[in-house]
Amino acid sequence: MRAFRALPYAVCVLALTGLTACSSGSPAGGSGAPTGAVSTGTVKRLEVTVTGTTVTPAPAQVELPVGSTLELVVTSDHDDELHAHGFDVEAPLQAGMPATLRLTAKEPGVYEVETHEPALTLLSVAVR
């Protein structure tokens, strides 16, 4: 009889867990995440736009737990090179075409993500 009383609780927990895991469109809250950052379980998504020498959202530090992934989508108004220090990942930027980098946090530290021409810091990733 005791197992039947626990059943509604288990169903609620599973339902809430499912809703949380599917909420890919809601902004991450409270952790100082820049506008445009979205957390979906262990993947955090951030969209950045480069217009001339202006980076939107403004460069900020993004917290990323070890083992998590940051999916960074960068759109630039000019051709360039995108580089993520500490992750040893590079990608070409073609004007007007979004480029996606998937950065998986392995080693604790603070790492910059930048462009080369002009040299702009887009964000820093704090792996903890």
Side-chain angles (χ1 to χ4, degrees):
M1 192 73 175
R2 201 168 185 199
F4 290 110
R5 280 191 228 153
L7 186 59
Y9 175 76
V11 170
C12 287
V13 169
L14 288 174
L16 289 174
T17 303
L19 289 174
T20 302
C22 295
S23 63
S24 63
S26 61
S31 65
T35 304
V38 177
S39 180
T40 57
T42 60
V43 176
K44 183 181 283 191
R45 179 180 165 93
L46 176 62
E47 295 183 11
V48 175
T49 303
V50 178
T51 307
T53 59
T54 302
V55 178
T56 307
Q61 184 167 295
V62 175
E63 299 289 326
L64 192 63
V66 171
S68 296
T69 299
L70 173 64
E71 184 176 82
L72 180 63
V73 181
V74 179
T75 305
S76 177
D77 67 345
H78 60 277
D79 292 349
D80 205 335
E81 184 78 22
L82 183 61
H83 179 79
H85 291 273
F87 298 94
D88 295 322
V89 177
E90 290 189 355
L93 287 173
Q94 294 180 353
M97 301 295 293
T100 302
L101 286 182
R102 290 184 59 90
L103 309 174
T104 301
K106 295 178 183 171
E107 295 291 324
V110 179
Y111 309 102
E112 289 187 346
V113 178
E114 64 185 14
T115 60
H116 291 169
E117 297 295 329
L120 298 172
T121 298
L122 304 186
L123 65 136
S124 62
V125 181
V127 177
R128 311 229 191 265

